[in-house]
Each structure stands twice: as C-alpha cells, then as structure tokens.
Amino acid sequence: MIRPDTANGNGSVRSNVFVDEEFTARVTVDSRGVVTGWNDGARRLLGYRAPEVVGRSVAELLADAEVAESAARASAEAQRNHRNPSRWHGTVTLLHRSGAPMDVRLLAHLGAPAGGASHAERDDTARDTADDTADDTAGEPAGHATAGNPAGLEWLLVSPLARTAPSAEDDELIEQSFNQSPCNMAIYDTHLRLRCLSDDMEKVLGLSESDVRGLRLPEIVPGRATEDTEREMRLALETGVSRRLAFSHRMVGHDHELAWSVSISPIWDHDDQVRGVIIATHDVTAQHLARQRLLLVNEATVRIGSTLDIARTAQELADVSVPVFADFVTVDLLPPVSEGGEPPPGPMSGRIEMRRAACRSIFDGNPEAVYAVGDMAVYSDYSPAAESLITSRAVLNRVTDPYDPSDNRWEVPARAASVRDFGFHSIISVPLRARGTTLGVANFARHRRPDPFEQEDLLLAEDITARAAVCIDNARRFTHERETALTLQRSLLPRELPENAAAEVAFRYLPADTRAGVGGDWFDVIPLSSSRVALVVGDVVGHGLQASATMGRLRTAVRTLADVDLPPDELLTHLDDLVNHLAAEAASGASVGTAPETPGDVGATCLYAIYDPVSRRCSMARAGHPPPAVVRPDGSVEFLELPAGPPLGLGNLPFESVDVELAEGSMLALYTNGLIESRERGVDETFAMLAEALAQPAAPLADTCNAVFRALLPAHPADDVALLLARTRALDASQVVTWDLSCDPAVVGRARGDVTAQLNDWGLEEAVFTTELVVSELVTNAIRYAQAPIQLRLIHDRTLICEVSDGSNTAPHLRRARVFDEGGRGLLLVAQLTQGWGTRQGAGGKTIWAEQNLPVLGL
C-alpha cells in the first residue's frame, strides 16, 4: 500500500526510482582471453573506448599477468565442475589508458550472459560500440562488441565511483533498516545498488560486503531468480508496498539447490521518502524438501495402483519417481510374480535373476537401461539390488569408480559401462515387500541431478515403494485369481462343438478385461435323440472363481437334464430349483473356508432351445435372458418376442416355451448381455447394430461372429461375452418314414416287413436283422403295456434311428430278467444291439427311441 502522505497527486511515491547502470564497468572475455565486450562503465573507469580494446587480449589491461592466469585457471576449473555455479573474485591492478595503475575489485562470472543485464542495456552497449567504431576505426569489425561469449567470462569491475565510503546518510539508512528486519539482510538504494550486507548474508553469498558493494543483485548472483527478485525490488520502491516471493537457487559452495523465502520492504526516512529497500531472506530448504516429499508420497498414493495390471502398476511406480525424485528408475520382479504366481519361498542368495517389469529415464528411450522391459535382469550377490533382496532392507550406495577391480557390484560389463558413461553417482535399491513376501526390487538412480541421495531420501524411497508393493501384490493376486478362473472356465466350456445333423454351429467367447474378474457366461451345443440339437446360452451373476464354479455346475445340470429330454420350460424349472439350492448353500456358509453369502449372490439367466430338423421347428424358453435373433434366408433379422421369464434363483415362477418354425438355412443367434450392454449407446441403437452385423445369411458363421464382435464390442469389454450362431438344416422327406399302428399284436409282423422293405430301399440291407429285432421289441411293448395311438418312425441320417410312440406317459425301465422269467429281456436286448436308446415325454404320451451307427453289422 502507498502511504497517503508520500503520494503525489497521481498516487505515485515521491522518489526517483531508476536502475543506474553507469557505475558498473562490464567487460566480457571469451575462452581465449580476448575482449569481446566493453560497456560505457568500463570506458569511464579505464579511459579506453570499445574499438580500442575489443579483439585484444585482456592480459594487456592487467598490470599483473599472474592474476589473469589465476583467474583463468579458476574459471576453467569451475567450468569442469558442473555441480557449482562458476565464479571468481578478487582484487586486480588494471592499467588506465594514461598508463596509471588502478586497484579495483573484480567479480567474474563464467558463461554468464551479460551478468543479468537487461536486453536493452546490452543493445545500447553494442550500439554505442558500433558508433564509436564507425567514428574512430572505420573498417574494423564491429561484431566483437557482443553481449558476451557463453564459453568465456564476464568481468564486473567495481569502480571507485561505486565504492564510496559510507556516509552519515548511509549510517542513518542502515540503522533504520536493521531495526526493521530481524533476519539475514541486504540493503539496496533507490538505484538498486547494494549498500550493505549483514554478516549472515555474506556467509550465504560467500562474498564480503566490500567485494560487491555498488553492484546490482543479478550482477552478484546471476540467474532468473535474482532477476525476478530485482523486479520485485523495483515494484517495492515504486509502490511503497512490501513484496514476498520464494524460489530455489544453487549458491556457490553448495552441492544442491537451496529454497529461499524472500521478503522485500521499502525503507522510509523521517520525511516519509523511500530511501531504498531491504531484502530479508530465510533458508527454507528443509521445509521445502519436506513439502516435496509429502507431495511425492501423495502423488504416489494417487497414481500407483490405478489398475490391477502388474506391469502397469510397476510402470506407475517408475513414472511417479522420475524426474521428481530420481533420474533413472527400474522395477524388477521375480519371474513367478511377473506372471501372477507365488514368489519362491525361502531367503535369496547368490546370483539373482529377475524380470524387468518397468523402466523410466529423464531421457527418451531409456538409454541407460541395460535390460529392456520383459528381459531377464541378472544381479550378482554384491550388487545393491541383490543386497537389498538378501537383507530385506533398502540400500543406499554412492558410486565412486565403476571400474574398480575390487568392486564386484557391476558383474555385467554393460551395466558398469552405463554407470560410467552416464555418470551415476547415487543409487537406492529397495525391496518390494508386501504382506511378508518379497516380490522384487526397485532401483532409483541419479546421474543428472548433482545432489546425491540422503538418508531422508532413503526413507522416502521406502515409503513410496511400500505403497507400490501392496498395489503390485494386489495385481498379482488378481492376476492369479483371473488366470485360475479362466483355466477353470476353459475346462468347463466346450473346446469343440459336436457335429450334428440339425445345424451348423460356431461360437465366440471373450472374457471380461476389467478388475472385476472373469464372469460366468457359458454356452453349449447338446445333441439329442432323433437328430435334434439343444442350444444353450447362460450367464451367472457375478465374477471370479465363484461365478466360474457356479457356471460349471449349471452347465453340468443342463446337460444332465437334456439327456432326460425335457422340454425347455421344464428344464428351466429344474434349473431354477438348482440355483435356489446353491443360493441357500452359499447363504449358510456351508463351503469350508468361505464367508457366508447372501441369497442374492447366486443367480443366473439362461436361454434353452431345441431344434428338430425333421419338423423344422424350434422350441425355446428363456429365464431373464436377452431374446434370440433369427436371420431368415433372405437376410431379414427378427428378434423373437419370447416370454421373458424370471431369472434363475427367484423360485416358484413359471417358464413358458414357444415353438417357432424355421426355414432351412435360417441362422439362430444366442448371446449374453455383455454383447448388448453399452454406456455409449441406447438399447435400440445396439439392437440395430447387431441386426446389421448379423444380416449376412450366406457368410461363414465364423466371419459373422467376428463381424458382430467388431461392431459392438470395445477394445476392453467390461463383461464376459458369449455368442453362439446356428444355421439350421432340414432332413429330406425321403429320409423319414412313419407308420401308424393299431393295438393288434398282429401288426408286429407287418411292421417288421415294412421296415425291411424301407431299409432295402435305403440300401441298408446289413441293418435289416438288427432293426427287425428292435422294432419287434419296441412295438410289442407298446401294444402290451401302453395305449393308442401307436406310431413307428424310421429316420435315416448319419445314424439309423427307430422310434415307437404311444399314448402312455409311463416310462419303461431296464431290468435284468431271472432265469425262468418269460419276459423282461426286450429292452436289455435293444440296449445290447444299438448304440443308444432312451425315452422322451411328449404332449400326448412318450417316445422310445433306439439309435444304430451306420453301417450296421448283424449278429
């Protein structure tokens, strides 16, 4: 705030604030010792004009050549030591143009671009030099008067004009300023020239007050931070308002950057005039480093473990550490851990091999890396990584000479070469341990940052690595469970679909690619009697091993119920009862070592369809499952409106079957809800896309499956997806023959004769004898134990099927007759002569069938 009593009418402070440049004599010298710049302050001090000295050796200006040589050696040594700012200071004797020697204080910066001078000042100097050159030495190159050579020196000569002795006015200013500030201080006048330094500030700068009195702050400590500070000083003078700023800067004599908190306050005299500014600095490096460490820990907490992928989690640890904490980071995991397995038991020793899981460098392409991600990294038992694994504690190493013959840490020559070439000077190796198990090791290295790791850095590395280790272990456990669930699921799902005469089938199954784990989707194709086929698609609620195990039990139950030849609605009713039993079992916690679950944790949806190629009819029922799609031979697509039915597990709710007639060559599509659920699309749009992808009735079924997945699924589906396609076939009328029989026992002989004649027409003479026996037994049993109507049917497909239907619902039972029994051997004889036999219930009775392989050999 501007003090009202010191403001002019326009609100400005009553002080003449300007940057006085004329008292600084600035000379730039290149690496060869040739003068390349000469400002007006140097002309005032030594009497030479720029054209007279630019291009000449600076040694000609020095009365003592040894001083120049000493300064050059100090500057060259500072240039080689890149860890510290380059500077030289001292008293030198210069020769005035008149020949008189002059003792001046010299402050030299190596490679400083004009010592923090403004661009305008450098441009003015160059322009004045060029004008002088044009007037006095026409024809000489004016290009020498440049802003300085980055590879050389900039000399700042504190002239006698600036080095005036303190006056009484200065004493008053110093007394007032030191009474107003309690810390390290520097006082600058209204020309932004240094007037006084406190003792502590001299220690910080490494310079005495007499060395720098009369210089500007950027001339004393070159750099962007001090230029910003000088701008704040100017604002404090102009506005009369105190300023505050913070920055980091590496000072001479320190191996690392120091954090500074700077307060700038205007100094007022008794007449309320601004007489200068006082700078108070506080070394807040400790607080700054602590805050940086806390930020890094917080960043690691947020960024590490965003997924349950082992490699991704390891890479996140490396990414969060570079460049904030280290210049180069590698993460190596024990081989079983990288694949989701259990780490080997027991302590480690000797030569250790690990798989490189992640790598990150401040340079693109990770040029320091000896091993690429995925390679096996080898560590000798003397290396820091092996030592940390063997001792189970973090290890801090300082690198001295990677080629020391007694140093066995770099067993791999390429690693020793990398340490040498990139200048590694500090390495931290931390074992990745979680839940008492060692998973691998993380290596943090510095080579570009000059400050080495300290003990506090070791603790920080342990902290972020411990957090990462827990995330990696979680990812490992998830990967292990996922692989186990996938293995279980693959073992429970059909690897190949059975050949059948009713339909051509194809399938696609894609497990979920999320942290939720593998789901319980399943599908099946079950051959039934009379050349029929059952198509099944289901989805168990939940993910993981429990869902996969439940899926396996349901699939087994469906196949068992299908063998009984139940219609779809009855099969779903029995399946619903099974799910209720599973839910009750889960709720009671009957499984050893598992936590009790709620009944709602076990549930499923299912679609069951039976297709008969003789009648070309498909009977279907669904339990809370998405409706099937039918693609007609002309390419039209219809989603069948089947009664939805409740999901399995609700209990005591009915299911309803629907019969649909399908033309030969129609395609039936059954799928799980993972195919049609999407957050980006509506339901109508999804079904339209599915219909478009399916509308290719003549294309191979495998190509259609791929087209559907490409059209509807993202790169990483959130749920399992199962798709089953079936293109229907139909049996020709010439392959099926049916006879209606009366209940008279005399028809048995006529039936045998009709069957024999039909087999001869089909060219199956070898099957006559066996088939006559089967027909005799089945028809006789129907006449004796059942009721009308009785029907005999032969189906000639890939096998020969003989069926006898009657109006009774009583199922026959196979039994072993005793020695003196007159009957009871018929079904046993049928079972011995045929490949298989069975009974199925129908709407008006039952059907007993027997199937023979072709060709059929007689007895």
Side-chain angles (χ1 to χ4, degrees), residues 576 579-580 602-604 645-653 655:
D576 182 54
V579 173
N580 286 325
V602 179
L648 300 175
L650 296 183
N652 301 321
L653 294 174
F655 300 96

Side-chain angles (χ1 to χ4, degrees), residues 62 75 95 167 176 247 373 407 631:
L62 296 167
S75 299
L95 296 176
S167 62
Q176 294 177 6
F247 59 84
V373 173
D407 193 346
V631 183

Side-chain angles (χ1 to χ4, degrees), residues 107 555 619 714:
L107 178 61
R555 178 172 179 259
S619 179

Side-chain angles (χ1 to χ4, degrees), residues 462-529:
E462 288 180 322
D463 194 355
I464 62 177
T465 303
R467 296 169 185 265
V470 173
C471 295
I472 291 175
D473 191 51
N474 291 338
R476 179 192 65 82
R477 290 167 178 259
F478 167 78
T479 301
H480 178 71
E481 181 177 341
R482 175 182 170 82
E483 290 300 323
T484 303
L486 281 174
T487 302
L488 175 62
Q489 195 172 54
R490 292 190 189 103
S491 66
L492 297 174
L493 290 174
R495 298 182 181 180
E496 295 182 359
L497 298 181
E499 292 289 337
N500 66 91
E504 175 193 0
V505 293
F507 69 93
R508 288 291 183 275
Y509 175 77
L510 185 64
D513 191 13
T514 64
R515 67 177 62 191
V518 178
D521 293 17
W522 92 91
F523 61 92
D524 211 344
V525 176
I526 308 171
L528 301 178
S529 62

